[in-house]
Amino acid sequence: MAAHVMTSLSDTHSAALYERARRRIPGGVNSPVRAMRAIGRDPLFIERAQGAELFDVDGNRYIDYVCSWGPLIHGHGHPAVVEAVVKAAKGGMSFGAPTPGEIALAEEVCGRMETVEMLRTTSSGTEATMTALRLARAATGRTKVLKFAGGYHGHVDGLLAQAGSGLATQALPSSPGVPAAVTADTIVIPWNDREALIEATQAHAGELAAILAEGIPANMGLIPPSEGFMELLRVRADACGALLVLDEVISGFRVARGGAQERTGVAGDLVAMGKIIGGGLPAGAVGGRAELMELLAPAGEVYQAGTLSGNPLAVAAGLATLGLLDEQAYLRLAAITEHLAQGLREAAAAAQRPVQVVSVPGLLTVFFCAQAPVNLADVQGCDLESYGAWCRALLARGVYPPPSQFEAWFPSLAHTPEHIEHTVEAAQAAFRELA
Ligand SMILES: *Cc1c(COP(=O)(O)O)cnc(C)c1O
């Protein structure tokens, strides 16, 4: 693969578009991480993509490890997904009335996650976590929510307390515009900290509506739960009468057919979904036991709605995407991820670079630190400067990594052995360039 090596960033079409964008779009982007500030460069504007490859407006080709931050598990433009969306569009973009596809999607998800007996579809992952919390509060009659530092659950006000992802990247403890009263009911403790978990659940035992955690945290970089930690979440939630809300917006349908819950064996009472469930179009969902889900209007009293919820195009894309995800696909994704992770480890070792490549099937993060991080504070202690420089060097070699240490790589089923080999070569050269 001969990717272009750009000599000057300032006279590119991307640079011109960025300048134009900043006049009419705050910061020039519609979601902060896209601006690439965390790796000290300007964003690339994308023209098109196919399979695992991304093409920018300057004609440069990249192997894409962002894949829209997770939804594109089959890569870009999978024919079956595109065909399903085109067919749906021809039949009508949106009706504001129920369609058969929504039932098929709910049935598909219930078939994959044992604890999900019913599903309510939303337009984003943010709405899914927001709805899950409203449900948990209504079901328990309590208000407080326990979350983990570095856990990202969308941009809903009450959860913008020590969130990961774009917020960790920008080192904002929270966000201006979020009233203290709104986060006052949010308790934040470090991930993987058993003692803090026991203490907090004892101190707030009668007040906790929910313990909220990512199925496998991937928004402070990938930090899997330590041995027994998910089990402890389940035990502590039950002990204090709180619901366990698992945010599987990233992990759902990615790390296993039934998501993180299948991998860890620990089930949530409510599950938030997003990303893959929309196959690249805007969609999210919340699911759980029927007795909880039927609290939602119009079955129950808890209000939740959406003009475009269950949108026919998003449902078609999600169904086509899930339809291609059989056991074989998960085995293949696990092998692709391991090939990449192992290659990156060897590339770092060859360049004598102390990095930690943490991986689970379908996700990985390259941490620039001496030991694998176990929580957000550890990631904040990584060598973020070197990560940025390494990413810039990768981009110059035709590899598009997540432009922040606080994010995961998203290998897809469209990544071929050649893509991985090219990536590993580029990674090794980029590691060497740092030295
Ligand atoms: C992306 C993400 C969300 C938010 O989903 P949006 O569709 O961006 O609103 C919530 N939780 C997790 C774990 C995510 O990764």
Side-chain angles (χ1 to χ4, degrees):
M1 289 192 49
H4 297 229
V5 177
M6 288 183 294
T7 45
S8 167
L9 293 176
S10 56
D11 55 3
T12 59
H13 293 295
S14 270
L17 286 170
Y18 186 40
E19 199 183 310
R20 196 176 127 209
R22 276 181 297 171
R23 278 186 227 125
R24 294 296 181 197
I25 301 171
V29 294
N30 280 313
S31 199
V33 75
R34 298 177 194 173
M36 294 193 167
R37 285 188 188 184
I39 61 162
R41 57 155 296 156
D42 290 346
L44 291 164
F45 280 71
I46 305 305
E47 188 165 88
R48 67 191 173 87
Q50 185 58 47
E53 296 176 8
L54 204 54
F55 298 84
D56 72 12
V57 289
D58 292 287
N60 299 301
R61 175 167 60 173
Y62 304 91
I63 304 170
D64 183 12
Y65 290 102
V66 171
C67 289
S68 191
W69 300 102
L72 303 175
I73 195 166
H74 303 294
H76 297 271
H78 189 290
V81 180
V82 172
E83 199 180 307
V85 172
V86 168
K87 187 168 169 231
K90 287 181 174 166
M93 299 278 203
S94 181
F95 313 113
T99 59
E102 293 163 82
I103 314 170
L105 185 64
E107 288 170 348
E108 171 72 32
V109 171
C110 293
R112 285 171 173 260
M113 293 185 180
E114 241 169 69
T115 47
V116 176
E117 294 173 351
M118 289 189 144
L119 193 78
R120 170 62 59 88
T121 306
T122 62
S123 297
S124 68
T126 298
E127 289 167 83
T129 60
M130 195 176 82
T131 302
L133 289 193
R134 191 176 300 150
L135 266 176
R137 285 170 166 150
T140 58
R142 301 169 174 186
T143 52
K144 290 203 189 306
V145 171
L146 181 70
K147 80 176 279 285
F148 296 90
Y152 179 69
H153 307 288
H155 58 97
V156 53
D157 277 6
L159 297 175
L160 285 182
Q162 293 191 44
S165 211
L167 289 155
T169 293
Q170 303 196 332
L172 302 176
S174 177
S175 167
V178 176
V182 178
T183 50
D185 287 323
T186 309
I187 299 150
V188 186
I189 60 169
W191 178 243
N192 277 331
D193 188 333
R194 300 175 68 94
E195 270 162 41
L197 173 62
I198 292 168
E199 252 171 54
T201 47
Q202 277 169 350
H204 302 282
E207 312 167 298
L208 279 180
I211 298 178
L212 171 63
E214 289 184 51
I216 294 187
N219 283 295
M220 46 182 157
L222 177 68
I223 305 193
S226 57
E227 185 74 36
F229 195 67
M230 296 311 284
E231 288 81 351
L232 189 62
L233 289 186
R234 183 70 269 175
V235 167
R236 295 308 303 166
D238 291 342
C240 65
L243 297 186
L244 179 57
V245 178
L246 291 182
D247 181 346
E248 292 235 45
V249 171
I250 280 180
S251 55
F253 321 114
R254 171 169 289 276
V255 300
R257 189 176 174 278
Q261 295 171 96
E262 182 182 320
R263 278 188 67 81
T264 63
V266 173
D269 297 299
L270 291 168
V271 184
M273 295 160 237
K275 299 196 166 107
I276 289 175
I277 204 174
L281 288 175
V286 54
R289 290 192 303 278
E291 100 226 18
L292 289 171
M293 294 302 295
E294 286 192 320
L295 294 174
L296 284 176
E301 309 269 288
V302 179
Y303 191 69
Q304 192 279 339
T307 301
L308 294 176
S309 292
N311 173 263
L313 273 60
V315 165
L319 272 174
T321 297
L322 293 173
L324 294 164
L325 290 172
D326 54 13
E327 287 300 344
Q328 209 50 40
Y330 288 106
L331 290 175
R332 218 156 62 70
L333 186 63
I336 290 166
T337 311
E338 201 38 45
H339 184 187
L340 176 62
Q342 198 49 36
L344 291 171
R345 279 178 200 120
E346 284 163 15
Q352 296 188 316
R353 195 81 212 174
V355 307
Q356 308 301 317
V357 181
V358 177
S359 64
V360 298
L363 291 167
L364 69 82
T365 296
V366 182
F367 290 107
F368 276 61
C369 54
Q371 274 181 332
V374 299
N375 59 32
L376 178 65
D378 287 353
V379 186
Q380 284 163 338
C382 288
D383 182 354
L384 305 181
E385 288 286 317
S386 293
Y387 180 81
W390 184 65
C391 286
R392 295 195 300 273
L394 283 179
L395 283 165
R397 290 174 174 78
V399 174
Y400 192 102
S404 160
Q405 179 77 103
F406 298 89
E407 307 284 357
W409 295 47
F410 293 92
S412 80
L413 290 158
H415 286 81
T416 63
E418 292 72 36
H419 287 130
I420 306 288
E421 278 147 33
H422 178 90
T423 303
V424 170
E425 278 167 31
Q428 191 167 329
F431 281 129
R432 288 230 164 86
E433 200 175 291
L434 294 182

